[in-house]
Amino acid sequence: MNILIYNEGVHDKEEWMKQIYPEGIHGALKQALDFDGNNITVTTLEDVEKVVTEDLLDKTDVMLWWGHCAHGQVPDCVVDMVHRAVLKGMGFIALHSAHLSKPFTRILGTSCTLKWRDDDRERLWVTAPSHPIAQGLPEHFELPREEMYGEYFDIPKPDDIVFMGWFAGGELFRSGCTFTRGYGKIFYFQPGHEQFPTYYDKNIVRILKNAVKWAAPMVRREQIGCPNSKPAEAGKD
Ligand code: ZN
């Protein structure tokens, strides 16, 4: 598979974060997805405009997106290209605070706002045990420290809710949700706050691997007449 990882890479430069993710969040994601000879490209806010091209996206099976404090700095031309690629069939995985990223809110079409609180304990429950993203996981597992994300999460009705998160403070959250837009499959996954080593957890790694396999395209087609199509491509299959 050809996998593209975007991590905005802003917090990653700070000393406190190097203690948790010495290679950045993108480094941990790359390590998690380094299986079956996957070809992995990494980009951060600094070079996203150079790295992400129509050509690269046409060859990308699944794109992962982690962002937090610099959503507004992502160029709209990149968001347009990513949106178009998803409609054509590219899988898209939005991680943690990417719920407010430009491509995710564009693809889903709602505000994607939620409640949040620092530092809690989370128990993730598998709520769709037959879903490919839940394969090989226990009925539930815990993350000793994770940021609380709570309902109401303003998303369109998901195709499947694969995981529900319960927090020690009492909140519930739809932590793992799937959607379909055009020919593309989308997975939103809540864990992954930058202050905790969530992306090294063995169950989380399992979910990321399952998710990229699930989200890889079965079909890729231009969306004819899609309002987001490039004018030159409109009408071309
Ligand atoms: Zn966070």
Side-chain angles (χ1 to χ4, degrees), residues 209-229:
K209 286 182 173 166
N210 288 347
V212 291
K213 287 194 241 175
W214 168 82
M218 316 281 274
V219 183
R220 300 183 88 121
R221 289 186 99 179
E222 186 66 33
Q223 291 265 287
I224 300 165
C226 165
N228 198 36
S229 292

Side-chain angles (χ1 to χ4, degrees), residues 24-215:
I25 282 183
H26 46 287
L29 294 173
K30 190 174 179 195
Q31 189 182 314
L33 298 174
D34 186 13
F35 66 98
D36 288 355
N38 287 331
N39 173 32
I40 303 174
T41 305
V42 170
T43 177
T44 63
L45 181 62
E46 280 181 354
D47 63 5
V48 68
E49 209 169 349
K50 246 186 247 156
V51 173
V52 176
T53 61
E54 297 274 358
D55 254 11
L56 178 71
L57 292 173
D58 279 345
K59 291 181 198 120
T60 298
D61 295 302
V62 184
M63 180 173 199
L64 293 92
W65 195 286
W66 195 103
H68 177 225
C69 61
H71 293 317
Q73 293 174 48
V74 174
D76 287 331
C77 58
V78 170
V79 181
D80 290 345
M81 283 191 287
V82 170
H83 186 200
R84 202 149 53 225
V86 170
L87 296 177
K88 282 159 80 170
M90 182 183 78
F92 186 80
I93 299 175
L95 296 168
H96 188 59
S97 37
H99 69 94
L100 285 184
S101 65
K102 283 188 187 176
F104 188 65
T105 54
R106 166 87 72 83
I107 290 162
L108 262 58
T110 54
S111 75
C112 302
T113 49
L114 47 78
K115 280 194 190 64
W116 61 273
R117 174 165 46 72
D118 270 344
D119 201 358
D120 205 338
R121 175 169 58 92
E122 178 173 15
R123 182 175 297 162
L124 277 143
W125 287 87
V126 174
T127 47
S130 59
H131 197 284
I133 299 179
Q135 292 321 291
L137 289 161
E139 185 179 63
H140 61 79
F141 66 95
E142 293 211 3
L143 297 169
R145 295 181 77 189
E146 186 47 74
E147 187 172 41
M148 187 284 289
Y149 273 13
E151 299 286 343
Y152 177 60
F153 185 19
D154 180 24
I155 46 171
K157 205 172 190 177
D159 292 343
D160 282 300
I161 300 170
V162 187
F163 305 101
M164 289 284 293
W166 169 88
F167 293 85
E171 296 88 352
L172 273 181
F173 189 68
R174 288 170 290 171
S175 290
C177 299
T178 65
F179 306 88
T180 314
R181 292 291 182 274
Y183 293 93
K185 290 190 258 181
I186 298 122
F187 180 52
Y188 172 76
F189 192 47
Q190 161 262 318
H193 183 60
E194 67 277 6
Q195 290 174 312
F196 311 120
T198 301
Y199 294 123
Y200 294 122
D201 179 276
K202 70 172 186 348
N203 289 310
I204 299 292
V205 168
R206 182 67 184 243
I207 292 167
L208 293 172
K209 286 182 173 166
N210 288 347
V212 291
K213 287 194 241 175
W214 168 82

